[in-house]
Amino acid sequence: MPAFFFSAPAAGRAALPPSRPRSVATACTLVLLASVTGAHADDATDTLPRIEVTASPFGATGLGLNLPAASGSRTGVSVQDLPASLGTVSSEQMLERSDHGVNSAVTRTVGVSENGSPGNGGLSFASRGFSGVNSVGVAEDGLTLGIGAGTVTYPADTWGYERVDVLRGPASLMYGSGTMGATLNAVRKTPSRIRETEVLIGAGTHGTARLGVGTTGPLGETLSYRIDAYGQRSDGERAYGDARNAKLMTGLRWQPRSNLMFDLTADIADQKPERYWGTPLVNGELRKDVASNNYNVADGDIRYKDKRVRLKGEWSPQHWIRLHNETYRFDSDRHWKNVEGYRHNPATGRIDRDSYLEIGHDTRQVGNRLGLELTPRNHQIAVGWDVSRTDFALNSNAPFRGSSSVSLLAPEHGWWSSPDATVPRFDSRVRQHAFYLEDAWNVNEQWLLMGGIRRDLYQVARTDAASGKHFESTLGGTSWRLGASYRLNERTNLYAQYSQGHDPVTSLLSLGEAQSRFRLSKGRQVEIGVKQQLADDRGEWTLAAFDISKKDILTRDPDRPAISVQGGQQSSRGVELSAAIRPTKAWRLEGNVAWVAARFDHLREGAAGIDRSGNRPANVARYTANLWAHYQQPKWKASLGLRQVGARFADNANSVKLPAYTTLDGALSWDVNRMTTLSLSGRNLTNRFYASNTYGKQWLVAPGRHVELTALMRF
């Protein structure tokens, strides 16, 4: 496939104020257009270098070791050669397993478990002993949206994405701050010159229905397009459990020459998740009859609306040089209006409700990414500059007063009412600049050495609406990675790496004045591993062992416990094993298992400064495992999957434990003809009753058995 690039800004533009991403983007775009109009049609540089593509033994259903490691490095090395742990879930695998949500897809990868809730947008995960949106990042095509109030809501659905990659361990070199445990990157499908259309229609239990349409093809000699539309609805398993999601993803590609390409994408998404905030315990017990109820008010509301526009360009004036630029704007509007706190009252036998919350988020992010890749001799070098500005406004009715009491088994939901007005609370702004350099050096046919460094600068400003009080602060973090990969033979690589990254003490867009004086928390990781493709295309497997330590997390001053200070430390170490094996032509096995020992080395919490040293961090399971078995015949296929998540603690005090759980999923598919496949899938086939996470004092009960029939048609 030809490259797509953007020209660099002219020398006179280099002095533009770095805090003005719109001006930078305009400059880059104008210079790029000048390069297009001024280029000669007979330019000899239109010839691109020869590119070798090796098919994976499993096509798109293996570990993807032969894929470019674009989510783990900008240098163009493969996943096999990358001295880091990078997993992938392809669109074929997601359809095969009926993983229509991003959270379902990524938790099939090794060592990743979910801890999403309506309060954090549902896209919160744990990996390698670290959890939450400020330690496990979420990106789309390498871009992350600034996080306000600990919330990430996009991308939620897998339709329209070629694959979802998971880079495990510190990923600040690629994605900036807030990526100590892992970063998932959803890679979207792109326009193609080959005309194709696919349609997904599904219906299932609890009023579930879904429709997805994806189409791509040429528009004349130089243009091509892609459109992906998706809608989903469900009535849910309890009152106010109905959910509605819809999105439209569009892409237009202009390729005037073989070495020049532009991509314009414009997306819109609207989500209305289930208005369920968990189930209260009754005498310390999670009861099924109570879990079937919803204690929210009748007019509760949760809604997320996202808009995204991006212009990307790539240009290759010579076969050894590639220049690219990307200008973008993201908008995200969110609204919550619910009663979120429920507690069983033993004296009355009823549920006491509190926390009448109404909260609104308005986030706008504009930015530009400029990069250059060079391949001199045996080196693959990437250098670039990213700049962005994110504005965040928060409205709420704090201090969230209001209370009521409802029946335990037959709640009278009532209506939302609060003595506190919903008004603007604060406006914040984060300007980010990131400068990076990576080099992959092929020393010889066996050794690959990689090094990279990145410097992030965050200029944070906040104004409180009521008092008008304003503060500004500058935070900086340096991340780097040194690694080596040794090709033991043509199918086996050994690797080792040392990396350093950073996390914010809380979401940067939500920093208060006191928190703004703290530094970014620093972390380092040591990792070793092996990656192998078996002979005769029998399979692929990877093994990784890691040791991570993060310091400067917030703790309490031991002498003055009312005061928060930096000085806490958290660490984890563990082992991860992944494999995809084809023992016979008909059978294919996929599985992974992860074990992690995570602890607080130093931590004091609460106004009393209680020592949590030695405790396991909240939401971190000691082990996770996935296993899938597929039996394939010419016209049909049967699949069975097991997922196991170990026990987790709901708090850092380790006083509340969520039990381990195992779920069973399955699918049966039939190729009606070469264009149509019918699939019958089942999730949680044993109807296991368990809690996936907690919210406050409530436990979030996972969905029960779900059966769905889908038809996938390709034209």
Side-chain angles (χ1 to χ4, degrees):
M1 179 178 292
F4 88 156
F5 295 24
F6 238 159
S7 65
R13 297 291 184 182
L16 285 170
S19 62
R20 299 176 60 191
R22 294 177 184 172
S23 300
V24 174
T26 303
C28 293
T29 304
L30 289 175
V31 176
L32 174 61
L33 293 176
S35 71
V36 174
T37 57
H40 295 287
D42 60 350
D43 191 345
T45 61
D46 280 9
T47 303
L48 290 180
R50 177 169 172 263
I51 299 176
E52 295 185 2
V53 178
T54 304
S56 167
F58 288 100
T61 57
L63 301 183
L65 295 184
N66 284 324
L67 293 174
S71 297
S73 174
R74 302 175 183 86
T75 60
V77 301
S78 68
V79 176
Q80 174 90 24
D81 292 325
L82 181 72
S85 182
L86 178 65
T88 188
V89 186
S90 68
S91 58
E92 288 82 358
Q93 289 173 310
M94 291 184 282
L95 286 171
E96 182 180 59
R97 303 165 180 171
S98 296
D99 288 333
H100 302 291
V102 168
N103 56 349
S104 298
V106 298
T107 52
R108 305 287 193 186
T109 64
V110 64
V112 179
S113 59
E114 62 175 320
N115 50 56
S117 73
N120 58 34
L123 291 174
S124 179
F125 305 94
S127 175
R128 293 197 168 181
F130 298 86
S131 67
V133 298
N134 293 312
S135 289
V136 179
V138 177
E140 185 199 53
D141 278 353
L143 283 170
T144 59
L145 177 66
I147 299 173
T151 307
V152 177
T153 59
Y154 189 90
D157 304 302
T158 58
W159 185 260
Y161 293 100
E162 184 64 34
R163 66 183 190 275
V164 180
D165 296 336
V166 180
L167 178 61
R168 289 178 283 273
S172 300
L173 178 64
M174 291 292 295
Y175 302 99
S177 196
T179 54
M180 189 62 57
T183 300
L184 66 93
N185 181 36
V187 181
R188 62 189 295 149
K189 296 179 178 179
T190 57
S192 170
R193 298 292 300 172
I194 301 175
R195 192 176 302 278
E196 293 178 330
T197 298
E198 54 185 357
V199 178
L200 176 72
I201 302 175
T205 52
H206 307 299
T208 298
R210 70 182 80 250
L211 173 64
V213 179
T215 182
T216 185
L219 292 172
E221 296 183 357
T222 61
L223 291 174
S224 56
Y225 73 93
R226 179 162 193 98
I227 300 174
D228 291 285
Y230 179 78
Q232 174 186 334
R233 57 146 292 168
S234 174
D235 293 335
E237 301 180 11
R238 56 181 64 83
Y240 313 127
D242 55 300
R244 307 287 187 272
N245 297 340
K247 70 176 180 181
L248 177 65
M249 305 167 65
T250 65
L252 182 65
R253 173 170 291 180
W254 178 42
Q255 188 178 350
R257 299 199 309 272
S258 60
N259 67 341
L260 180 66
M261 188 183 297
F262 297 87
D263 272 357
L264 175 64
T265 62
D267 306 335
I268 185 170
D270 191 351
Q271 301 179 57
K272 297 180 180 179
E274 178 183 9
R275 293 163 290 169
Y276 168 62
W277 296 89
T279 299
L281 302 182
V282 178
N283 299 322
E285 178 186 359
L286 180 64
R287 286 172 34 180
K288 280 188 178 183
D289 57 343
V290 176
S292 63
N293 294 317
N294 192 336
Y295 297 98
N296 201 356
V297 289
D299 56 343
D301 181 52
I302 308 174
R303 190 166 188 179
Y304 314 136
K305 295 188 287 185
D306 291 273
K307 298 177 183 179
R308 300 191 170 208
V309 179
R310 291 186 291 183
L311 174 62
K312 300 188 292 185
E314 295 188 2
W315 178 43
S316 181
Q318 299 288 339
H319 70 273
W320 53 271
I321 184 172
R322 185 171 75 160
L323 194 60
H324 55 91
N325 193 81
E326 182 172 1
T327 303
Y328 62 89
R329 171 172 169 164
F330 299 161
D331 291 272
S332 185
D333 296 316
R334 307 168 187 139
H335 181 248
W336 296 265
K337 186 178 181 181
N338 305 274
V339 176
E340 300 183 10
Y342 320 130
R343 180 176 56 85
H344 176 248
N345 188 332
T348 63
R350 294 170 64 84
I351 297 298
D352 294 338
R353 304 191 303 189
D354 57 25
S355 299
Y356 281 63
L357 276 77
E358 183 172 24
I359 297 176
H361 292 175
D362 184 0
T363 309
R364 176 181 299 174
Q365 181 171 322
V366 294
N368 194 79
R369 303 199 301 173
L370 177 64
L372 174 67
E373 276 88 48
L374 307 169
T375 56
R377 294 183 180 271
N378 296 326
H379 291 266
Q380 296 162 275
I381 299 172
V383 60
W385 170 38
D386 298 350
V387 56
S388 68
R389 168 174 168 161
T390 307
D391 294 280
F392 178 73
L394 185 141
N395 302 330
S396 80
N397 68 319
F400 312 123
R401 293 179 297 173
S403 63
S404 58
S405 176
V406 297
S407 169
L408 173 66
L409 298 180
E412 312 85 4
H413 299 282
W415 305 95
W416 191 92
S417 178
S418 172
D420 307 303
T422 301
V423 297
R425 295 297 170 177
F426 68 82
D427 295 288
S428 64
R429 181 186 69 245
V430 173
R431 291 190 175 104
Q432 178 187 8
H433 299 273
F435 306 89
Y436 65 83
L437 171 66
E438 278 192 274
D439 183 15
W441 177 25
N442 292 279
V443 180
N444 52 44
E445 293 184 356
Q446 290 181 302
W447 281 101
L448 172 69
L449 301 181
M450 291 190 67
I453 188 169
R454 170 172 168 148
R455 178 64 177 173
D456 284 280
L457 294 173
Y458 300 95
Q459 298 172 330
V460 182
R462 172 169 162 166
T463 301
D464 287 335
S467 66
K469 190 174 182 179
H470 178 83
F471 75 84
E472 296 188 10
S473 178
T474 300
L475 301 171
T478 300
S479 52
W480 52 273
R481 179 174 65 196
L482 291 175
S485 180
Y486 178 73
R487 188 172 287 270
L488 194 62
N489 54 52
E490 63 179 7
R491 296 184 300 270
T492 308
N493 282 57
L494 306 176
Y495 73 89
Q497 64 136 299
Y498 184 96
S499 57
Q500 178 175 293
H502 43 81
D503 283 350
V505 294
T506 189
S507 303
L508 291 175
L509 289 168
S510 306
L511 281 177
E513 184 174 10
Q515 296 169 324
S516 69
R517 295 191 290 267
F518 296 127
R519 304 178 300 275
L520 297 174
S521 300
K522 296 180 181 179
R524 63 105 187 109
Q525 174 185 257
V526 177
E527 179 179 338
I528 59 173
V530 58
K531 304 176 184 180
Q532 185 179 59
Q533 301 179 51
L534 301 180
D536 302 322
D537 292 346
R538 290 294 186 183
E540 305 170 298
W541 66 277
T542 65
L543 176 66
F546 61 88
D547 186 301
I548 307 177
S549 178
K550 184 170 77 169
K551 62 181 182 179
D552 292 334
I553 64 175
L554 290 188
T555 184
R556 295 285 181 158
D557 188 321
D559 299 321
R560 297 173 297 171
I563 299 176
S564 294
V565 296
Q566 285 187 289
Q569 182 169 309
Q570 178 181 348
S571 63
S572 67
R573 60 186 60 180
V575 179
E576 298 167 340
L577 173 65
S578 297
I581 308 295
R582 192 186 296 276
T584 69
K585 185 178 180 180
W587 283 95
R588 175 165 53 89
L589 304 176
E590 301 169 306
N592 57 68
V593 60
W595 174 86
V596 59
R599 68 189 302 269
F600 290 113
D601 302 303
H602 307 290
L603 180 68
R604 291 181 178 271
E605 276 191 329
I610 300 174
D611 191 2
R612 307 297 190 200
S613 301
N615 286 9
R616 193 197 313 174
N619 300 314
V620 173
R622 191 174 295 276
Y623 65 89
T624 59
N626 291 279
L627 176 63
W628 275 92
H630 308 277
Y631 182 72
Q632 177 81 55
Q633 288 297 309
K635 288 288 186 178
W636 61 275
K637 177 171 58 179
S639 303
L640 199 63
L642 281 170
R643 170 154 178 79
Q644 188 170 47
V645 177
R648 297 142 293 147
F649 291 107
D651 55 8
N652 292 336
N654 292 179
S655 61
V656 178
K657 178 182 284 189
L658 277 72
Y661 63 87
T662 303
T663 58
L664 177 67
D665 302 328
L668 183 64
S669 61
W670 172 43
D671 293 330
V672 180
N673 52 48
R674 64 182 184 87
M675 294 187 301
T676 305
T677 300
L678 293 178
S679 298
L680 180 65
S681 63
R683 307 296 293 264
N684 193 7
L685 291 173
T686 61
N687 203 27
R688 176 68 183 268
F689 179 68
Y690 68 97
S692 61
N693 193 18
T694 60
Y695 183 81
K697 299 295 184 181
Q698 296 101 242
W699 287 27
L700 294 168
V701 177
R705 183 187 296 114
H706 176 82
V707 179
E708 185 170 340
L709 179 66
T710 59
L712 178 64
M713 294 162 282
R714 292 188 170 98
F715 309 97

